[in-house]
Amino acid sequence: MNKQKEVIKTNKPILLLLWLIKFMPLFFTRLLVYPVSFFFWCFAFGARKNCRNFQKRLRKFTNGKSPVLISTYRQFFNFSLCVVEKIEGWVGKKNFSSIIIQDDCQNLIDHLNSGKGAFIIASHLGNMELMRSLTTMNEMGCKRPVKVTILMEMGATSNFNKTLEKINPNAMTDVIDTNSISPQTIIDLEDKINQGNLVVITGDRFSANGSSQKLVKNFLGDPAAFPYGAFLIPVLLHTPVYFMFGMRSKSFSVFAKNYELYVETAKTELDVPRNKRNETIDALSNEYVDYLQNFASRFPYQWYNFGCFWESGE
């Protein structure tokens, strides 16, 4: 099942990476991605097995079209480069000019420019952390500053979060632990959206502490667990919902720095009576899973859920 632990036991590699990004040429740091990702690929047996499982399922789902090559190393490589680009974003070495906006992204920007807020459901496909770092730097293409509140599970990544806060003190402001959400939290989130801000949550990682709160959806041909709360919250808020994916334009190049930001407007009507809430949550989550499958097919090596994702436990 999709119960994943991401506890980082030491922050030394991240601090070393920070030093390299700050004081060495960026091309040198990016070149290190090749050997470093190969090192982790050699020893991360479980993650390698799960990557192969994902790619095989995806290839079957797309009738052999994606991925063209079953390569777990490419997935490790992309994740390593993703980490480098996250740090580049948090230290201010990335800007919005490197982001190519696609689909409904301009609609979201216009919506924010009008002073309204919204709810974003993102994923661990691509690099949404980079997009978050750009919003913290007020680099998001809007005419006004937009505050972003992140809903995430804090316990599994506490060490990494502390390191991130050292890199950029703004990194962990407006972050709410999903394990401590209460009715008052919903009221606070509603206030933030009414003030024209964004609330963001990922919809593709089922919390290890949320075993009773899950949605089982068919993903790439088999049942997988998705977090119920990620789709309940926007229904409670009655707010516009957008699905967002930040994808690197070229998967296997350390020198391709452009990202494509895809935004899809949710079509599910959220302003419904209480007796239709579960039906609405089901419809909203179905929309999300459809988009997730679509973008996973287009960017197969940028899937960063390295644990077992399916209910079968394969």
Side-chain angles (χ1 to χ4, degrees), residues 227-252:
Y228 177 84
F231 304 96
L232 168 65
I233 294 171
V235 172
L236 294 176
L237 294 173
H238 304 296
T239 183
V241 173
Y242 297 85
F243 307 119
M244 185 177 288
F245 302 87
M247 314 306 300
R248 189 182 306 106
S249 300
K250 294 183 180 180
S251 292
F252 204 57

Side-chain angles (χ1 to χ4, degrees), residues 193-239:
I193 290 175
N194 289 338
Q195 292 166 13
N197 299 316
L198 287 174
V199 176
V200 181
I201 195 170
T202 56
D204 64 338
R205 189 163 290 178
F206 176 57
S207 168
N209 298 320
S211 57
S212 62
Q213 295 292 311
K214 65 180 179 180
L215 295 167
V216 178
K217 298 292 175 181
N218 192 291
F219 179 69
L220 301 184
D222 282 302
F226 290 84
Y228 177 84
F231 304 96
L232 168 65
I233 294 171
V235 172
L236 294 176
L237 294 173
H238 304 296
T239 183

Side-chain angles (χ1 to χ4, degrees), residues 54 58 61 102-104 107 121-126 203-204 217-220 226 231 241-247 262-268 283-300 303:
F54 162 75
L58 182 58
F61 179 78
Q102 306 281 4
D103 298 339
D104 293 341
N107 292 345
I121 304 180
S123 72
H124 294 86
L125 178 73
D204 64 338
K217 298 292 175 181
N218 192 291
F219 179 69
L220 301 184
F226 290 84
F231 304 96
V241 173
Y242 297 85
F243 307 119
M244 185 177 288
F245 302 87
M247 314 306 300
Y262 294 87
V263 175
E264 307 290 349
T265 306
K267 299 177 179 61
T268 302
L284 183 64
S285 59
N286 284 340
E287 271 196 81
Y288 174 80
V289 172
D290 285 344
Y291 281 120
L292 188 64
Q293 289 182 141
N294 175 49
F295 283 104
S297 301
R298 294 168 62 180
F299 302 93
W303 172 260

Side-chain angles (χ1 to χ4, degrees), residues 8 13 15 24 26 29-30 52 62 66 81 87 92 96 131 142-143 148 153 159 165-166 171 205 221 228 273 294:
I8 295 176
L15 293 176
M24 299 295 288
L26 287 180
T29 306
R30 284 172 168 259
R52 181 172 292 275
T62 60
S66 177
L81 187 54
I87 306 301
F96 198 76
M131 304 303 159
C142 290
K143 296 178 181 178
V148 180
E153 186 180 5
N159 204 352
E165 196 167 17
K166 291 180 181 178
R205 189 163 290 178
Y228 177 84
N294 175 49

Side-chain angles (χ1 to χ4, degrees), residues 259-277:
Y259 265 78
E260 298 177 15
L261 181 60
Y262 294 87
V263 175
E264 307 290 349
T265 306
K267 299 177 179 61
T268 302
E269 174 58 49
L270 301 184
D271 193 6
V272 296
R274 187 185 183 95
N275 63 347
K276 291 190 176 181
R277 183 178 294 169

Side-chain angles (χ1 to χ4, degrees), residues 14 16 24 32 37 41 51 73 81 89-90 99 108 126 140 167 188 200 222 244 278 281 288 292 302:
I14 300 296
L16 174 60
M24 299 295 288
L32 289 177
S37 55
W41 177 84
C51 285
Y73 172 70
L81 187 54
W90 285 117
I99 308 299
L108 174 59
M140 59 182 302
I167 295 171
D188 294 340
V200 181
D222 282 302
M244 185 177 288
N278 286 335
I281 291 169
Y288 174 80
L292 188 64
Q302 296 184 49

Side-chain angles (χ1 to χ4, degrees), residues 30 81-89 127 130 248 259:
R30 284 172 168 259
L81 187 54
C82 171
V83 173
V84 171
E85 290 170 330
K86 286 179 184 182
I87 306 301
E88 288 178 0
N127 194 349
L130 172 61
R248 189 182 306 106
Y259 265 78

Side-chain angles (χ1 to χ4, degrees), residues 15-32:
L15 293 176
L16 174 60
L17 176 60
L18 172 63
W19 185 90
L20 289 170
I21 290 174
K22 277 189 171 182
F23 300 108
M24 299 295 288
L26 287 180
F27 79 88
F28 174 79
T29 306
R30 284 172 168 259
L31 282 175
L32 289 177

